[in-house]
């Protein structure tokens, strides 16, 4: 079939099963947008390219499918960058199509030209620039293959405008060799046997679950493993939705704002089974002191993660989809009763806690109450900052792809557009967004997108009138110098929402919350609740940056 | 500690940028880098000498390079029986009074004089990095005007190709 390049892009997208893309048009993208017109592919027009990238990310995380975003050249493409980098850090499958200036204008500082290939090389799993139109169909389908196979990640395809206007054969096509790309699938069974042996001997084993379990869709197998072994479990932030939080031996999130029990468990276990984690510094604290008494078994799909941060005693290099069922089948745990008791005691003596106030709402209280009314299969989305940590601590997620948050990059402004993507991917699920009064402003233009699409996202602005996490660090480490961390303008978020067509409420007192929760829950359109909370609350417990995990402030 | 990594990569535009950028981005120094065509069309071999603190850093470089989609094969040459060569072109001050001495040293090092000017000579020396270093050092006292070196390249002694080992 001979098509012009724009139509060829649309045809390949359809063949890859894409029905929705997120984007923003502009000069050199117009031929492609003409091909999209009445193509049957749903194009979501965000109000900023960054919104398109995060929405594609939210769509991908919620559905497990590849998210697709699209922009014009130059500023359009550079506006995608934060979203691509966010997806890269959290291994989110994404294809970003950026349109580029016409081939003969390349490299001449032409209008709206930016070196997208160069800019995206360090922040993507892979990237292509299409120079020969004959290769366009193959490059685009390889982009999908690379994005979703192995350890997923974003792939950028930069396409000069003239390619959209060239006639291209799309069936009998030349292929680019991909000799160097061999995603890991199956591992070595002997490696699993070694861990099984170590597990049988371990007196104090601990399972540490990360985002890899979510990405590999192995939550069900994980549940079987837990049912069979009763192993104690802790998770990273992105691993939170991988297991049912009602599991009796679940001790919460580990790391800087992890629970006392999780951090003590990692410091005192004798075998750490780390699955789909990458030992981020927010998890490990001081690596010199991290899990020092412990044998570590690392299950991961990415060879470069093994030994990157800490040396491990056992490694199982494979897709968890391959290794976890095999491990589960053979796993036998020795007598760990004493250890289970120790963990239960810690958990009882050191629960997460905060002090309530009479009239002022505490942020944790808001999150607990919201969590209480959510449906079991609800998707929780967060932005970045204090509210994110409180959501990780106090919001019980119950579904494997039910907690979306920018973990690795920590991108403020991620939440609202990601919630839009998640709601589009899962129209029948409740989507609840927690966002700070700082983060909402970083992409508040997307309220208009949500309104236009009538997406029933429930938005809770945890409003502490400033940049809470920044203030917390300034309080703790910079003698309370609140340098550039307070908002004085008194911005009315409910009015902003209203102006963009989103229903809204402001809750300043405790008594107003229940009513707002009901309204948000019942709303069939986007609903924003601006909740004023205590300005000075700290996220606790806390391991100071660079300190060891067992040195917590509670 | 200097180590040599040899990477077989697909000869696509930008692949050198990817490889060099990755090493720099991860915080390691490149002491030398040489890239060229191979026996197989479409493939390029990149020989990289990196400065690392320990074996673990080197393994991390190998693993990270292997992760690049266009990198086919990465080997730590330090672990493999190999020979290496580097070439340098040295432009040295060579007035009448030193010309004979320089010519003698050129003979001892099996270097070559490849260009002659009334005031200077251009010398070509080939060998492992130690020999090239030594030759350059010997020339220093005559006044080196300019040195250009290719960077070290490596090949295994085994009868097989590196990738087939």
């Amino acid at each position: 079939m001979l098509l012009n390049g724009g139509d060829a892009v649309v045809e390949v997208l359809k063949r890859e099963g894409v029905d929705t893309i997120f984007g923003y048009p502009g000069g050199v993208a117009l031929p492609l947008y003409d091909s999209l017109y009445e193509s049957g592919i749903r194009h979501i027009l965000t109000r900023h390219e960054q919104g398109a990238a995060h929405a594609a990310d939210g769509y991908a995380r919620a559905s497990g499918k590849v998210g697709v975003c699209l922009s014009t050249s130059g500023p359009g493409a550079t506006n995608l960058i934060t979203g691509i980098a966010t997806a890269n850090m959290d291994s989110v499958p994404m294809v970003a199509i950026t349109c580029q200036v016409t081939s003969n204008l390349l490299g001449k500082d032409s209008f709206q030209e930016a070196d997208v290939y160069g800019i995206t090389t360090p922040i993507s799993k892979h990237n292509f620039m299409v120079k020969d139109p004959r290769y366009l169909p193959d490059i685009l389908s390889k982009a999908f293959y690379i994005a979703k196979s192995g350890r997923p990640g974003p792939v950028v395809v930069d396409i000069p405008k003239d390619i959209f206007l060239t006639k291209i054969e799309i069936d009998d096509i030349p292929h680019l060799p991909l000799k160097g790309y061999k995603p890991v699938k199956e591992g070595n069974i002997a490696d699993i046997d070694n861990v099984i042996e170590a597990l049988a001997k371990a007196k104090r084993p601990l399972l540490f679950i990360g985002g890899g379990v979510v990405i590999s869709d192995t939550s069900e197998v994980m549940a079987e493993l837990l049912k069979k072994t009763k192993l104690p479990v802790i998770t990273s932030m992105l691993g939170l939705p991988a297991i049912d939080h009602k599991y009796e031996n679940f001790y919460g999130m580990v790391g800087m704002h992890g629970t006392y029990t999780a951090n003590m468990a990692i410091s005192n276990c004798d075998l750490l089974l780390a699955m789909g984690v990458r030992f981020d510094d927010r998890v490990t604290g001081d690596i010199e002191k991290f899990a020092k008494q412990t044998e570590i078994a690392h299950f991961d799909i990415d060879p470069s993660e093994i030994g990157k941060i800490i040396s491990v005693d056992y490694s199982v290099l494979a897709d968890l989809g391959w290794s976890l069922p095999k491990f589960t089948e053979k796993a036998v745990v020795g007598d760990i009763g004493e250890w289970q008791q120790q963990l239960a005691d810690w958990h009882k003596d050191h629960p997460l806690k905060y002090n309530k106030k009479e009239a002022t709402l505490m942020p944790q209280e808001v999150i607990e109450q919201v969590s209480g009314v959510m449906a079991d299969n609800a998707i929780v989305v967060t932005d970045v900052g204090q509210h994110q940590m409180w959501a990780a601590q106090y919001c019980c997620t119950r579904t494997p792809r039910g907690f979306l948050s920018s973990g690795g990059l920590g991108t403020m402004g991620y939440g609202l557009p990601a919630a839009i993507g998640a709601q589009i991917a899962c129209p029948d699920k409740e989507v609840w967004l927690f966002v700070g009064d700082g983060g909402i402003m970083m992409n508040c233009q997307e309220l208009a997108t949500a309104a236009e699409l009538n997406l029933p996202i429930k938005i809770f602005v945890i409003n502490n009138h400033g940049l809470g996490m920044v203030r917390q660090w300034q309080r703790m480490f910079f003698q309370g110098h609140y340098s550039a961390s307070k908002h004085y303008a008194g911005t009315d978020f409910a009015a902003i929402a209203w102006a963009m067509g989103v229903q809204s409420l402001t809750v300043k007192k405790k008594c107003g919350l229940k009513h707002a929760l009901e309204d948000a829950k019942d709303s069939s359109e986007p609903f924003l609740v601006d909740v004023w909370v205590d300005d000075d609350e700290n996220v606790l417990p806390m391991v100071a940056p660079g300190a060891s995990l067992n040195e917590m402030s509670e | 500690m200097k180590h040599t990594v040899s990477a077989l990569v697909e000869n696509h535009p930008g692949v050198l940028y990817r490889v060099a950028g990755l090493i720099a981005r991860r915080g390691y120094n490149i002491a030398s880098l040489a890239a060229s065509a191979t026996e197989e069309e479409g493939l390029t071999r990149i020989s990289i000498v990196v400065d690392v603190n320990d074996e673990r850093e080197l393994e991390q470089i190998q693993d990270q390079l292997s992760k690049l989609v266009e990198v086919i094969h990465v080997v730590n040459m330090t672990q493999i029986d190999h020979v290496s060569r580097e070439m340098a072109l040295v432009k040295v001050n060579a007035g009448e009074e030193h010309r004979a001495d320089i010519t003698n040293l050129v003979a001892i090092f099996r270097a070559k004089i490849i260009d002659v000017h009334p005031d200077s000579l251009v010398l070509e020396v080939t060998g492992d990095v130690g020999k090239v270093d030594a030759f350059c050092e010997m020339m220093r006292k005559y006044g080196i005007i300019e040195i250009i070196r290719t960077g070290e390249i490596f090949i295994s002694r085994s009868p097989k190709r590196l990738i087939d080992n």
Side-chain angles (χ1 to χ4, degrees), chain A residues 115 117-119 121-128 131 146 151 176-182 287 302-311, chain B residues 8 10 12-15 17-19 21-22 25-26 40-43 56 59-60 62-73 163:
Chain A
D115 173 14
Y117 180 88
I119 296 168
T121 296
I123 55 145
S124 60
K125 181 173 177 185
H126 193 54
N127 57 3
F128 295 97
K131 291 190 169 156
I146 294 170
R151 178 179 180 173
L176 276 183
L178 264 190
K179 291 182 191 158
Y181 185 62
K182 298 179 206 81
I287 42 170
D302 180 352
S304 72
E305 287 301 341
I306 311 287
K308 183 179 85 174
I309 306 291
I310 47 163
S311 301
Chain B
L8 189 66
E10 296 201 53
H12 292 164
V15 68
Y17 166 66
R18 269 187 218 284
V19 168
L22 185 144
R25 189 159 72 243
R26 298 266 171 192
E40 194 175 330
E41 198 182 337
L43 298 189
R56 207 165 115 189
E59 272 174 37
Q60 200 31 224
Q62 277 181 264
D63 287 344
Q64 293 291 347
L65 284 176
S66 301
K67 206 162 130 177
L68 293 176
V69 168
E70 286 156 330
V71 172
I72 295 163
H73 188 235
I163 193 169

Side-chain angles (χ1 to χ4, degrees), chain A residues 7-62:
Chain A
D7 292 345
V9 170
V10 169
E11 182 59 26
V12 175
L13 290 176
K14 284 183 178 172
R15 289 182 187 183
E16 292 296 332
V18 175
D19 52 20
T20 307
I21 64 178
F22 303 86
Y24 204 107
V28 297
L30 288 175
L32 179 55
Y33 271 84
D34 198 50
S35 298
L36 282 166
Y37 187 65
E38 294 184 343
S39 67
I41 290 181
R42 184 183 189 197
H43 179 277
I44 307 294
L45 175 65
T46 54
R47 296 304 190 265
H48 189 299
E49 288 90 350
Q50 188 185 347
H54 291 320
D57 172 312
Y59 178 91
R61 291 194 210 217

Side-chain angles (χ1 to χ4, degrees), chain A residues 260-279:
Chain A
Y260 178 89
T261 312
N263 287 343
M264 290 303 280
I266 240 176
S267 305
N268 288 280
C269 63
D270 65 354
L271 177 66
L272 184 67
L273 303 167
M275 299 194 172
V277 301
R278 59 182 182 84
F279 298 103

